[in-house]
Amino acid sequence: MTKKEKLAEIKKRMEADKSLPLASGASRLVFGDGNPDAQILMIGEGPGYWEDQQGLPFVGNAGKLLDQLLATAHLSRNDTVYITNVVHHRPPGNRDPEPSEIAAYGRYLDEMIEVIAPAAIVTLGRFSMAKFLPGAKISRDHGRPVTMPWRGREIVVVPMYHPAAALRSGEVMLAEREDFASLESGLKSLVDKRSETTKESEQMHLV
Ligand code: URA
């Protein structure tokens, strides 16, 4: 099965899962968007009104800013990134997701991460940051890549501000723009290094 097919299968199971805590209040599941073969996975918080309407993550104002920021880093959801959230149904009234809700969707998010197997995960906002870096503080740690073990693999996690926070504060917007600017070079060297390792492993018949 291709990664795309594996993700479609997870999506189907999520749509059928009546135990998902936010399902009854939402219009539809907002699973993810982008290239399943991308080396970069971006994880936000949860769908808002427009995402709930369209079934795609980051299509409202924060999403428009995210697309611009991606473009400045020469990244795009058609090609170099896959985007999802820590919860995949809209919380009522756009409230913050509860820890129990994040845990319920987290089982599926972990499966998605396993399938996509990205070289780097960019967390957007504090909820997805806390999943990987529980002791981190966004105002201190944003933009700083952390290499960590994740289910038997090594991944790089880059905590970033949520684009909605950048829309609310000029200072955060400045930091967000700087972080996206350095993301490009940081991720490029990481992805190049990873594909070299894969090539070497292929030559040695390790993969
Ligand atoms: N904010 C998020 O965290 N995710 C979305 O999909 C949209 C807005």
Side-chain angles (χ1 to χ4, degrees):
M1 267 209 278
T2 62
K3 289 186 180 187
K4 193 174 169 190
E5 287 164 344
K6 286 183 188 166
L7 290 181
E9 187 273 324
I10 299 171
K11 183 178 180 200
K12 217 166 153 188
R13 274 191 283 121
M14 288 184 86
E15 282 169 338
D17 185 349
K18 299 294 169 240
S19 76
L20 283 173
L22 297 165
S24 61
S27 312
R28 70 202 83 237
L29 182 82
V30 179
F31 182 78
D33 187 29
N35 179 3
D37 293 306
Q39 299 283 352
I40 300 154
L41 174 63
M42 299 200 146
I43 307 178
E45 188 176 311
Y49 175 82
W50 291 108
E51 290 77 23
D52 178 70
Q53 294 291 306
Q54 295 183 32
L56 289 170
F58 284 100
V59 289
N61 285 339
K64 289 196 180 92
L65 174 60
L66 178 61
D67 285 343
Q68 278 176 25
L69 292 164
L70 286 171
T72 62
H74 302 104
L75 299 170
S76 92
R77 52 172 105 193
N78 294 330
D79 180 22
T80 36
V81 301
Y82 193 87
I83 304 175
T84 189
N85 284 305
V86 287
V87 300
H88 304 85
H89 286 114
R90 182 191 183 204
N94 289 351
R95 65 158 170 75
D96 288 347
E98 305 278 349
S100 63
E101 292 162 350
I102 294 174
Y105 290 85
R107 291 184 291 116
Y108 292 106
L109 178 57
D110 289 346
E111 286 192 50
M112 292 169 78
I113 297 171
E114 200 109 327
V115 168
I116 296 168
I121 292 180
V122 175
T123 60
L124 299 170
R126 62 197 164 96
F127 291 98
S128 53
M129 179 180 72
K131 177 178 173 72
F132 301 95
L133 307 168
K137 204 167 162 240
I138 193 111
S139 57
R140 183 192 60 202
D141 298 323
H142 66 89
R144 289 194 201 157
V146 179
T147 303
M148 60 181 294
W150 180 258
R151 299 180 150 211
R153 291 195 306 114
E154 197 172 80
I155 52 165
V156 173
V157 176
V158 192
M160 306 272 267
Y161 279 112
H162 194 288
L167 288 172
R168 286 192 298 266
S169 149
E171 206 178 312
V172 173
M173 180 70 90
L174 219 60
E176 184 86 319
R177 289 197 187 284
E178 277 174 15
D179 289 347
F180 267 85
S182 24
L183 192 64
E184 185 184 10
S185 52
L187 291 178
K188 190 174 177 323
S189 59
L190 172 76
V191 170
D192 288 351
K193 200 171 119 207
R194 196 192 206 205
S195 53
E196 247 163 53
T197 314
T198 311
K199 261 187 243 149
E200 279 165 20
S201 309
E202 276 168 356
Q203 279 161 5
M204 293 163 72
H205 306 290
L206 294 177
V207 292

